């Protein structure tokens, strides 16, 4: 069974940076796309970023483009989200997720239902 554990959340001020990490267990980590989602209070969970299994393709929520960068280290079974120029509206619980299907053809239309394993989440709070 795959386990995903996020870390790196915290309380920061607007304009600061944070780096979230997600450590995965289990075999074939490198065969699957990995994504980050977030859920703000009283809102639905939303897609933030995804990196495909090859690491050549990445896709982002429009509001984080140019500020967030997703990356992966397949040798270490980790995926990271570098978040710069944070804004109060980035405040949310951030979740890492693993694709259901190995070697999925990358697209800009990843959905929550494409992912089958989820971490417990890490809180990011950005004060103004």
């Amino acid at each position: 069974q795959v386990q995903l554990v996020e870390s790196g959340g915290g309380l920061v001020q607007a304009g600061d940076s944070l780096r979230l990490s997600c450590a995965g267990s289990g075999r074939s980590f490198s065969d699957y796309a990995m994504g980050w989602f977030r859920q703000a209070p009283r809102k639905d969970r939303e897609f933030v970023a995804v990196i495909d299994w090859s690491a050549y393709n990445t896709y982002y929520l429009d509001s984080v483009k140019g500020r967030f960068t997703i990356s992966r280290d397949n040798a270490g079974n980790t995926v990271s989200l570098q978040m710069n120029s944070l804004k109060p509206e980035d405040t949310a619980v951030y979740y890492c997720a693993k694709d259901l299907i190995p070697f999925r053809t990358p697209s800009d239309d990843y959905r929550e239902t494409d992912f089958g394993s989820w971490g417990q989440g890490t809180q990011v709070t950005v004060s103004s």
Side-chain angles (χ1 to χ4, degrees):
Q1 184 176 354
V2 175
Q3 284 190 321
L4 301 173
V5 179
E6 301 96 337
S7 62
L11 171 62
V12 297
Q13 293 186 330
D16 286 350
S17 298
L18 274 177
R19 185 176 181 86
L20 305 183
S21 293
C22 172
S25 64
R27 299 185 303 172
S28 306
F29 179 87
S30 60
D31 296 346
Y32 295 82
M34 296 295 297
W36 286 95
F37 289 74
R38 67 186 182 188
Q39 187 167 21
R42 298 174 297 280
K43 291 188 177 181
D44 293 333
R45 188 156 57 184
E46 67 175 351
F47 163 83
V48 174
V50 65
I51 185 166
D52 78 336
W53 59 271
S54 73
Y56 286 122
N57 298 287
T58 58
Y59 303 94
Y60 297 91
L61 177 70
D62 283 347
S63 63
V64 308
K65 285 180 181 177
R67 300 189 297 123
F68 291 12
T69 303
I70 188 171
S71 60
R72 67 188 300 160
D73 173 7
N74 287 332
N77 277 19
T78 59
V79 60
S80 299
L81 186 68
Q82 177 66 42
M83 306 187 295
N84 298 330
S85 302
L86 282 161
K87 303 177 181 180
E89 51 263 45
D90 294 319
T91 294
V93 177
Y94 283 72
Y95 298 89
C96 139
K98 178 173 170 279
D99 197 342
L100 273 168
I101 299 174
F103 307 115
R104 186 192 297 270
T105 300
S107 77
D108 61 356
D109 191 30
Y110 281 93
R111 302 182 182 188
E112 190 173 338
T113 51
D114 291 330
F115 296 85
S117 299
W118 295 82
Q120 83 289 349
T122 185
Q123 177 70 48
V124 172
T125 303
V126 185
S127 63
S128 57

